[in-house]
Amino acid sequence: MAVEGGMRCVKFLLYVLLLAFCACAVGLIAVGIWVQLVLNQTITQGATPGSLLPVVIIAVGAFLFLVAFVGCCGTCKENYCLMVTFAIFLSLIMLVEVAAAIAGYVFRDKVKAEFNKDFQQQMQNYPKNNHTALILDRMQEDFKCCGAANYTDWEKILLSPKRVPDSCCVNVTQHCGVNFNVKEIHNEGCVEKIGSWLRSNVLVAAAAALGIAFVEVLGIVFACCLVKSIRSGYEVM
């Protein structure tokens, strides 16, 4: 028995939300892939809180896309079981997102310490590995920083008190890091500079997360309304 009256409006709004879920799912997968690429360039491999973050983001995105598909089928066919499954899975996704947010807050200092440790490890490989050198040079140029804590970190690596990578220079030119003037290089360390950049983007990420959570809550409410309407139709029959 087809839903009638106000439930038709709910059904239409649910279709709109399902499209939003698909967009959110694709966005989460894209963000997860981007975070994985960034971590591959900055943090060594291993099962750590930082390295597991993109895996969780991609998994949630893929699962949300699957749930949106189930919800679309349930809404189209007005199927009681599919809509109940949709509401339950959407609730589970919300719980996972809340758990991930709490874990991110709890492990924020550990992730920073991990990044600091791995950055220093890659600094050790700078003279030996061209690929590592390219990654560190790109980071120092992009974030306008030098070394982990500051430019003096390079003294232990390049074994010279007046030698830093050319990427530390304010104006990058060949051999500008040899016999440098302190005023001509970036003095702030990359760990703190990148950490500041991440903190400045937290509000944007939090706003996006709240937006997704709001859409998910609406999806659960509308799904429950539709389930109630379908069940009432069955009882009338």
Side-chain angles (χ1 to χ4, degrees):
M1 181 176 179
V3 294
E4 297 179 356
M7 284 302 102
R8 288 183 179 176
C9 181
V10 170
K11 188 175 177 180
F12 172 77
L13 290 174
L14 193 53
Y15 276 127
V16 174
L17 288 177
L18 288 169
L19 288 176
F21 289 149
C22 290
C24 290
V26 172
L28 284 172
I29 293 172
V31 168
I33 293 173
W34 176 75
V35 172
Q36 183 64 59
L37 291 175
V38 171
L39 292 182
N40 284 342
Q41 295 181 349
T42 57
I43 298 179
T44 55
Q45 300 297 314
T48 61
S51 62
L52 292 177
L53 177 62
V55 177
V56 173
I57 295 174
I58 293 172
V60 170
F63 189 57
L64 181 58
F65 191 87
L66 177 61
V67 170
F69 178 76
V70 171
C72 187
C73 293
T75 304
C76 182
K77 295 179 179 296
E78 296 179 11
N79 185 286
Y80 178 83
C81 292
L82 286 177
M83 291 310 302
V84 170
T85 302
F86 170 72
I88 292 174
F89 281 175
L90 201 55
S91 300
L92 289 175
I93 288 177
M94 282 200 64
L95 290 176
V96 170
E97 289 171 347
V98 170
I102 294 173
Y105 180 80
V106 171
F107 290 112
R108 66 191 187 284
D109 293 331
K110 188 171 183 179
V111 171
K112 183 179 178 181
E114 176 190 327
F115 175 67
N116 180 48
K117 177 183 176 181
D118 289 329
F119 191 93
Q120 293 189 34
Q121 180 61 48
Q122 292 203 40
M123 285 179 65
Q124 296 286 341
N125 296 329
Y126 185 91
K128 313 168 191 175
N129 190 308
N130 288 333
H131 179 65
T132 299
L134 286 172
I135 291 173
L136 291 182
D137 283 337
R138 190 189 316 147
M139 289 178 64
Q140 292 190 144
E141 286 188 50
D142 290 346
F143 288 95
K144 302 185 185 309
C145 57
C146 187
N150 55 53
Y151 71 94
T152 59
D153 293 337
W154 287 110
E155 294 178 7
K156 311 172 219 176
I157 309 299
L158 302 178
L159 303 178
S160 173
K162 294 293 286 182
R163 172 79 172 95
V164 295
D166 293 341
S167 55
C168 285
C169 299
V170 174
N171 298 310
V172 179
T173 56
Q174 191 173 12
H175 304 308
C176 64
V178 180
N179 296 321
F180 62 89
N181 187 311
V182 175
K183 295 180 180 179
E184 297 174 348
I185 64 171
H186 300 295
N187 295 311
E188 193 171 355
C190 291
V191 172
E192 185 57 39
K193 197 71 180 282
I194 294 174
S196 298
W197 177 80
L198 290 173
R199 285 191 294 272
S200 68
N201 286 276
V202 164
L203 288 178
V204 177
L210 285 174
I212 293 174
F214 179 71
V215 171
E216 289 171 346
V217 169
L218 286 179
I220 293 170
V221 171
F222 289 158
C224 289
C225 290
L226 191 56
V227 164
K228 184 177 179 182
S229 178
I230 294 171
R231 185 174 181 179
S232 298
Y234 286 152
E235 289 174 353
V236 169
M237 292 175 69

